[in-house]
Amino acid sequence: MAVKARETLESKQISITTLGILMVVVVGYTFLYNQFANTLEDYRLKTIVGVISLVIMMGGFLISLRYITTIYEMVITHDRLIIDRKIFFWKKTVLEVKIEDIKKILPIEEAKKVEGQTRNFTLTNMDGKRKYMVQYETQGKICSAKIQCTGKFIDTLKKLVKI
């Protein structure tokens, strides 16, 4: 299985604006929790509210960490398009499409809704990496995948698909 093209899509570093918004949310949430907890007299109720508050904060932190650290590795072989998602050290193949099943490759602006499932494998806007819609057939339905890659990668894919 010879690799024709390989592309890695990493999220860029968190911006100062986003970091500021996260800090305001954390400080505001902590302040509101503190105000509410000080009004409670029952120790058991305070403990329950504290544990629930901690679970909400940890859940929010883990969800934001997941989106910040997501990396997509896209590989084109002679007969397949394979997309792997990496989060820290977990790696999972999230899409594997045969080249012969791909029907259209369009810029995201020209794409229309399809009858099957639409999956998104893009991150924030990045220089030099445009967003495309790859439409493919699976189980008799036309499905689509939004990908973000360089022009060289998409040209290699179009040559194999013969579009």
Side-chain angles (χ1 to χ4, degrees):
M1 184 163 57
V3 174
K4 302 286 185 183
R6 182 181 305 268
E7 182 93 24
T8 301
L9 183 64
E10 294 184 57
S11 60
K12 58 185 178 182
Q13 295 295 323
I14 191 166
S15 68
I16 298 297
T17 307
T18 307
L19 187 62
I21 291 171
L22 283 173
M23 291 301 295
V24 167
V25 168
V26 168
V27 169
Y29 187 80
T30 305
F31 178 74
L32 289 175
Y33 164 73
N34 193 25
Q35 292 296 339
F36 179 72
N38 284 338
T39 62
L40 298 175
E41 297 295 326
D42 186 14
Y43 183 73
R44 283 184 289 170
L45 186 59
K46 263 187 186 182
T47 303
I48 291 171
V49 168
V51 168
I52 291 172
S53 178
L54 180 65
V55 167
I56 290 171
M57 287 295 283
M58 288 179 66
F61 174 71
L62 291 175
I63 288 171
S64 65
L65 200 59
R66 178 210 186 270
Y67 285 105
I68 291 171
T69 61
T70 298
I71 297 172
Y72 290 110
E73 291 180 347
M74 298 176 279
V75 176
I76 300 173
T77 63
H78 68 284
D79 68 339
R80 295 187 187 279
L81 168 66
I82 302 167
I83 301 177
D84 294 329
R85 180 178 56 216
K86 284 177 58 175
I87 300 174
F88 289 119
F89 50 85
W90 291 291
K91 185 175 182 178
K92 179 181 179 185
T93 300
V94 290
L95 182 70
E96 189 169 335
V97 178
K98 292 181 182 177
I99 295 294
E100 61 194 37
D101 291 341
I102 296 176
K103 304 300 180 196
K104 291 182 186 176
I105 302 170
L106 304 166
I108 200 80
E109 301 85 27
E110 299 174 16
K112 295 182 176 56
K113 185 154 176 54
V114 294
E115 62 187 63
Q117 183 181 22
T118 299
R119 300 176 70 189
N120 189 0
F121 305 112
T122 63
L123 299 173
T124 60
N125 292 328
M126 299 177 156
D127 295 335
K129 296 191 179 187
R130 291 188 57 202
K131 295 180 181 181
Y132 297 93
M133 180 77 76
V134 176
Q135 295 179 350
Y136 58 94
E137 185 175 347
T138 183
Q139 298 175 354
K141 290 185 178 180
I142 301 296
C143 298
S144 64
K146 295 177 186 177
I147 63 171
Q148 189 173 8
C149 57
T150 60
K152 186 177 178 183
F153 184 85
I154 208 71
D155 289 342
T156 303
L157 185 59
K158 284 181 179 179
K159 284 179 189 173
L160 286 173
V161 175
K162 295 176 179 67
I163 293 179

